[in-house]
Amino acid sequence: MQTPLLQVKHISKTYKLNKGWFKRESVEAVKGVSFELNRAHTVAVVGEAGSGKSTLAHLLAGELELTSGEILLHGQNLATTERQQRCMDIRLIPQKPSQSLNPRQRVGDQVIAPLTMYRTLSQELRQQKLISTLRDVGLLTEHAEYYPNMLSSSQRLRVALARALIVDPEVLVFDQTLSAMDVTMRAQLVNLLSSLQQSRGMAYIIIGHQLSMIRHLASEVLVMQHGEVIERTTVATLFSEPQTDYTQRLMHAYKELTQGSS
Ligand SMILES: Nc1ncnc2c1ncn2[C@@H]1O[C@H](COP(=O)(O)OP(=O)(O)OP(=O)(O)O)[C@@H](O)[C@H]1O
Ligand SMILES: [Mg+2]
């Protein structure tokens, strides 16, 4: 049997809070979460506020240290992978990607910045990579000369995506990235992400409640509550037979919304 691209094994994260002299409290934000993800597949993560979704995203992207458990990519434990490489393999796209852009720096310089880690890459190759990545996300070569405020919000999201894609990641994690978008932008993004997934074989982890997007992009859904995965299901089953109280409420709200808007 082939090794899955990503294997998450019983990972946990406990935040330790200093509450003054001798007083220490801790929050178990993620508790024993396990799942696997194959190349060119998408898993969605849903759950109420504070259920541990963002903590999970940061653990996967290596921005937080695990309290216990392990994450393997191509069967290799990421704890043994060099940090720079690891940051390129799994990239996190935050909730408001345009806020991660520097308003005073040209788009091209910002997209190319993660490539500077590849010291061996010539200036010419970097430039070629910049142009092809801008094209991949539906931007023009000329956009490299623009500043972020000269672009629409949809274009700024594409810039953030290009910044992640330029280092050829294997996994992209979207932490509620899609929640602030209007319907047209979401539809554009679903198309863009699907075609990028087909051409590059990347795996996606999509965190959020945009069920219309989850329906189009994901094959599996993990439901989190109090740091644990309480339901793991296919997208089809989520829509036809939600198991837990939480997913039943989620589906109910979704049906009201879609029936109300039709
Ligand atoms: N840096 C931190 N220090 C201490 N506790 C934290 C920290 N970050 C998150 N928490 C706590 O960990 C738990 C999980 O938080 P997390 O942000 O991962 O949830 P979430 O599912 O992303 O929530 P939301 O839907 O509101 O984004 C919460 O109880 C939160 O208060
Ligand atoms: Mg969050």
Side-chain angles (χ1 to χ4, degrees):
M1 214 177 72
Q2 232 189 346
T3 313
L5 171 67
L6 183 73
Q7 291 167 283
V8 176
K9 296 187 174 179
H10 310 289
I11 63 167
S12 299
K13 177 70 191 177
T14 304
Y15 292 109
K16 298 256 188 273
L17 310 170
N18 270 323
K19 293 231 162 182
W21 289 65
F22 307 116
K23 255 188 147 182
R24 293 197 87 187
E25 270 181 24
S26 56
V27 180
E28 286 186 272
V30 169
K31 297 181 223 170
V33 169
S34 300
F35 67 95
E36 291 175 350
L37 185 57
N38 283 316
R39 231 178 143 260
H41 278 70
T42 300
V43 64
V45 182
V46 301
E48 42 206 36
S51 57
K53 303 180 300 294
S54 294
T55 305
L56 175 66
H58 290 281
L59 290 172
L60 292 168
E63 292 177 7
L64 271 179
E65 257 182 55
L66 295 170
T67 305
S68 62
E70 50 190 34
I71 304 171
L72 284 75
L73 193 76
H74 295 296
Q76 189 187 342
N77 190 337
L78 287 178
T80 63
T81 309
E82 201 204 327
R83 198 173 155 70
Q84 272 188 357
Q85 183 58 45
R86 174 182 181 157
C87 294
M88 290 191 263
D89 288 338
I90 306 180
R91 306 278 290 173
L92 176 67
I93 317 268
Q95 181 160 6
K96 292 191 177 133
S98 53
Q99 283 182 357
S100 64
L101 300 177
N102 179 346
R104 282 181 286 277
Q105 198 181 18
R106 285 181 208 275
V107 161
D109 294 335
Q110 297 193 59
V111 172
I112 221 167
L115 268 191
T116 50
M117 292 174 191
Y118 289 117
R119 291 194 193 87
T120 47
L121 212 60
S122 71
Q123 187 59 25
E124 199 188 338
L125 279 175
R126 281 183 202 182
Q127 212 54 36
Q128 279 174 14
K129 192 124 179 86
L130 170 65
I131 292 166
S132 68
T133 311
L134 288 177
R135 275 204 207 120
D136 278 354
V137 298
L139 292 171
L140 304 169
T141 313
E142 295 88 278
H143 285 129
E145 300 305 318
Y146 286 34
Y147 289 93
N149 66 357
M150 298 158 80
L151 299 172
S152 69
S153 57
S154 161
Q155 288 169 326
R156 285 199 291 266
L157 170 69
R158 287 163 196 268
V159 173
L161 205 53
R163 242 171 92 86
L165 291 177
I166 201 155
V167 291
D168 296 319
E170 309 246 21
V171 181
L172 284 187
V173 185
F174 298 87
D175 187 7
Q176 315 249 50
T177 313
L178 321 165
S179 54
M181 285 176 212
D182 61 38
V183 180
T184 321
M185 223 165 117
R186 269 189 227 156
Q188 284 177 2
L189 195 72
V190 166
N191 291 336
L192 177 60
L193 293 183
S194 309
S195 68
L196 284 171
Q197 191 168 54
Q198 273 165 25
S199 60
R200 291 173 173 240
M202 279 179 300
Y204 297 149
I205 296 169
I206 297 187
I207 294 172
H209 307 121
Q210 269 57 50
L211 292 181
S212 50
M213 297 201 64
I214 289 175
R215 194 172 202 168
H216 284 109
L217 289 168
S219 42
E220 203 184 9
V221 182
L222 305 179
V223 183
M224 289 188 71
Q225 193 174 56
H226 307 310
E228 289 176 295
V229 173
I230 55 156
E231 188 175 344
R232 181 179 175 168
T233 179
T234 63
V235 169
T237 314
L238 176 77
F239 279 82
S240 58
E241 294 168 61
Q243 300 295 310
T244 51
D245 215 33
Y246 172 74
T247 44
Q248 283 164 9
R249 275 187 280 126
L250 192 66
M251 290 317 302
H252 185 71
Y254 173 70
K255 281 179 186 150
E256 278 200 338
L257 194 72
T258 46
Q259 279 157 14
S261 63
S262 60

